[in-house]
Amino acid sequence: MRVLGIETSCDETGVALYDTSLTGGSGLLADALYSQIAMHADYGGVVPELASRDHTRRLLPLIEQVLNDAKLTRKDIDGIAYTAGPGLVGALMVGASTAHGMARALGVPVLGVHHMEGHLLAPMLEEDAPEFPFVALLVSGGHTQLVEVKSLGNYQLLGESVDDAAGEAFDKAAKMLGLAYPGGPEVARLAEQGNPKRFRFPRPMTDRPGLDFSFSGLKTHTLTAIRQLETSGELNEQARADVARAFEEAVIDTLVIKCRRALDQTGLKRLVVAGGVSANQRLRERLALECEKRQAKAYYPRGRFCTDNGAMIAYVGAQRLAAGEQDSNGVMQATPRWPLDQLAAPSAS
């Protein structure tokens, strides 16, 4: 079964084609992505109306590009999957309407899938894919969650952020430091020059039991530190790097501590890390050390699949369409808020 995947939840237009008769990386026939980062950078964040308009411009040409790369035509598509949520409602509607229009024209099934389930299972696109069950850390601009994954659609939420997501905190810290958007890579680059011993920022919610996260207090602490440096006339380039290093270390320590607790709590030996922040190299190094101590193994999607992409949507949609799922009565889905634990396993699985 060849499934076209469409991702338009926020500021990336992603398209991919996945073949269920193959496995892992072999099943991915082609993928393409257009990022809107440059367009939104002037505003310091995503402008929903601009995002929706750009998805409309980019989506159909990207679909044709993917089909050409795979040396296939629209008639070779057996099903279509699209991101139904969570995300920006206007952006979601672009993908949903395109998917449903194509599916009706081709006479194939269509299914809206969960954006975070896509991130959760993105490592399944790799040759060295994890087996079920595993613990997953989903860490992006909009979400920070720890999930116990028993099988496709069988997810137990272990903990999540009660306020800002880790990626959102990185973006806000970057803005405080006068860095460009998106902030995560910029903070990480500046932190490389920082002195790790100058400042120590709090590791929020690590002094109590549980697996929930909170980064709003850390954001406030960072702003206070910057203002104190400004007042004393010490906010030079080195001081900014030192603050970036302290902030990054605090976020990473918090994520690592919670992952360690989740592995110990579940007794599992596989850890999947996905979402934009999973590309942070310092985070990967620290998690590798923790997994080595526990004879566990960490799994990541390849670099370009850490952020939003069509491949993860094509993969998840392919698994669920193959199990007989599809949008009921041909009704489009666009669900801006959609808790991951509301998902269910396919009835055929």
Side-chain angles (χ1 to χ4, degrees), residues 36 153 226 286 295-296:
Q36 302 175 2
I226 292 171
R286 290 288 310 282
Q295 297 183 313

Side-chain angles (χ1 to χ4, degrees), residues 282-334:
R282 203 181 302 277
L283 174 62
R284 292 190 177 207
E285 291 167 5
R286 290 288 310 282
L287 287 174
L289 291 174
E290 288 297 328
C291 286
E292 185 178 355
K293 291 176 185 176
R294 286 163 174 73
Q295 297 183 313
K297 183 175 180 180
Y299 296 84
Y300 302 88
R302 70 194 76 171
R304 73 178 193 272
F305 294 161
C306 288
T307 54
D308 296 351
N309 62 88
M312 67 184 191
I313 302 304
Y315 176 82
V316 171
Q319 308 311 306
R320 289 186 173 272
L321 283 165
E325 288 193 37
Q326 59 180 293
D327 284 354
S328 59
N329 301 318
V331 176
M332 291 188 298
Q333 300 182 64

Side-chain angles (χ1 to χ4, degrees), residues 166-182:
E168 182 182 4
F170 266 108
D171 286 341
K172 291 179 178 178
K175 190 171 184 178
M176 295 174 201
L177 291 165
L179 301 175
Y181 172 86

